[in-house]
Amino acid sequence: TYTDSIALVAGVSVYGGFQGTETLLTQRDPSQYETRIDGAGTTHVVLCADDALLDGFTITGGNADGTGDGAYGGGIFCDGTSPTISDCLIAGNHAGLRGGAVYARDSSIRLLDNHFVRNSVPTSGTIQYGGAVHLSGYGNPELTGNLFADNEGYWGTTLTALGSTSLNVSFDKNVVAGNVGISQVRTEDVTGIWTNNVFVGNINVPIYTGGDTVLYFGSTNMVSLVNNTITGADSYGVSAYGSPYYANNIFAGFLRAVREYSVGDTSDVILEHNLFFDNDVDVRDENSVSVSGANAINLTVGGASGNVDGDPYFEQGFRYPWTADAVYDPVSFTTLLIDSYGVGGGSNSPVSYT
């Protein structure tokens, strides 16, 4: 364990997970030999640099609870720099305003195959964004293959992305499970095609009427969704401005699965070949007209075609509320979540997610 903050160096790769007897990089095992960087309450645990790599570490103990940039990025802080962070456990970090785990401004940061666990921003207020990750400005950030579990926040508990000129966000093959906040994702002025993600077992707190939703895509929205599984419990699924494209997704268990907002004159989400199941309302259009049933969607929602109804036959999974904090096991590289619904055949049975 290294107890302090670190500053990455441009173009330099840093690897963790060594026992100390290895002679080759391929012999290391981060899942068995934890290499911990503990900020012990410092403002930023890791300061970024261009083309740097941090791989195989635990990043914890950040507390960005100050003012200005000192309220951003408890775990990792990037300002105009674009590193790669991969195969890390980023856990137990906090920010007073934005980016409990990661804050990246004007950055093309790459976040690959990490676990984000128990990071947070305050759950009250109006400008607290990104319990796990906050992106802003411009760039081409990439989030692929990550697990987000038991993070807490206000808007965008998992991810907030607020663009200013050109922010194209890649969000693919991530699992978002057991996080708490008004929404799991919030974007403004962002583009991207998001594919093969799973959103399950999150709790979206209704701070104000109509405010709780898993995915909130705000003004000038052009984030399209393809091949995602999005499930809910007494909340809204996707709330979207603009005219993005949604295809081959599963929307299940929502009060309203897809909600269109009016921007100027119209807001028309293009829905093709999606499966809708067990929603109170499948689509609420920009004129506040509710439409349910695939046949009605295909006939009456502009641009819709090929949508279907039916049970997706999910394997019984976990749901909020959690009866214990998430526990990360570095040996099996799993995060253990325990709920109160008797998951797995018995009361309070544990469920692990890799």
Side-chain angles (χ1 to χ4, degrees):
T1 298
Y2 177 77
T3 305
D4 204 344
S5 60
I6 68 168
L8 301 179
V9 176
V12 174
S13 299
V14 185
Y15 295 92
F18 294 94
Q19 182 184 21
T21 60
E22 297 85 354
T23 57
L24 298 173
L25 180 63
T26 54
Q27 294 174 332
R28 70 190 181 109
D29 187 356
S31 66
Q32 184 172 357
Y33 303 111
E34 182 184 25
T35 308
R36 177 184 292 255
I37 307 171
D38 189 339
T42 191
T43 302
H44 315 298
V45 181
V46 176
L47 296 175
C48 300
D50 274 332
D51 301 316
L53 170 67
L54 190 67
D55 184 286
F57 287 84
T58 294
I59 302 165
T60 190
N63 185 28
D65 206 20
T67 60
D69 283 351
Y72 303 157
I76 298 170
F77 181 83
C78 303
D79 186 6
T81 53
S82 301
T84 296
I85 311 296
S86 57
D87 291 309
C88 290
L89 169 64
I90 307 170
N93 301 286
H94 176 79
L97 288 179
R98 302 183 179 185
V102 176
Y103 178 87
R105 176 196 297 136
D106 301 337
S107 172
S108 294
I109 188 173
R110 302 174 71 227
L111 299 170
L112 311 177
D113 302 315
N114 302 289
H115 280 205
F116 293 86
V117 180
R118 298 191 66 198
N119 303 286
S120 65
V121 295
T123 55
S124 62
T126 58
I127 58 174
Q128 285 77 17
Y129 297 133
V133 177
H134 180 93
L135 309 171
S136 67
Y138 59 85
N140 297 284
E142 176 187 352
L143 294 83
T144 300
N146 302 286
L147 169 67
F148 298 87
D150 201 30
N151 300 286
E152 291 190 355
Y154 192 75
W155 279 108
T157 298
T158 297
L159 169 66
T160 304
L162 306 180
S164 60
T165 52
S166 178
L167 185 58
N168 184 77
V169 179
S170 173
F171 192 82
D172 303 304
K173 300 177 183 175
N174 301 289
V175 174
V176 179
N179 304 281
V180 181
I182 290 182
S183 65
Q184 295 311 309
V185 169
R186 176 171 182 167
T187 73
E188 304 279 351
D189 302 321
V190 167
T191 60
I193 300 175
W194 295 10
T195 61
N196 301 309
N197 301 289
V198 175
F199 297 84
V200 59
N202 300 289
I203 183 68
N204 303 300
V205 181
I207 302 298
Y208 59 88
T209 302
D212 55 321
T213 183
V214 176
L215 304 173
Y216 176 93
F217 298 115
S219 59
T220 321
N221 165 50
M222 284 306 295
V223 174
S224 293
L225 301 173
V226 179
N227 296 341
N228 300 282
T229 297
I230 307 168
T231 70
D234 300 326
S235 66
Y236 297 159
V238 181
S239 299
Y241 289 86
S243 300
Y245 177 67
Y246 297 169
N248 301 326
N249 302 289
I250 297 173
F251 299 101
F254 292 107
L255 296 177
R256 294 171 182 167
V258 177
R259 180 173 55 166
E260 299 178 340
Y261 282 110
S262 176
V263 181
D265 49 359
T266 61
S267 172
D268 289 311
V269 175
I270 307 302
L271 297 165
E272 294 186 353
H273 306 289
N274 300 286
L275 186 150
F276 293 87
F277 176 70
D278 195 29
N279 305 299
D280 288 1
V281 173
D282 288 332
V283 178
R284 193 203 73 167
D285 70 15
E286 74 277 10
N287 299 310
S288 298
V289 175
S290 295
V291 182
S292 289
N295 187 55
I297 293 170
N298 295 330
L299 289 174
T300 63
V301 176
S305 66
N307 298 286
V308 297
D309 302 308
D311 190 337
Y313 293 103
F314 292 132
E315 182 178 349
Q316 177 62 47
F318 46 85
R319 297 181 290 174
Y320 186 89
W322 311 114
T323 58
D325 290 333
V327 177
Y328 178 75
D329 182 355
V331 176
S332 62
F333 208 60
T334 60
T335 299
L336 183 67
L337 296 163
I338 303 174
D339 74 9
S340 58
Y341 289 91
V343 174
S347 178
N348 298 325
S349 298
V351 175
S352 294
Y353 226 101
T354 58

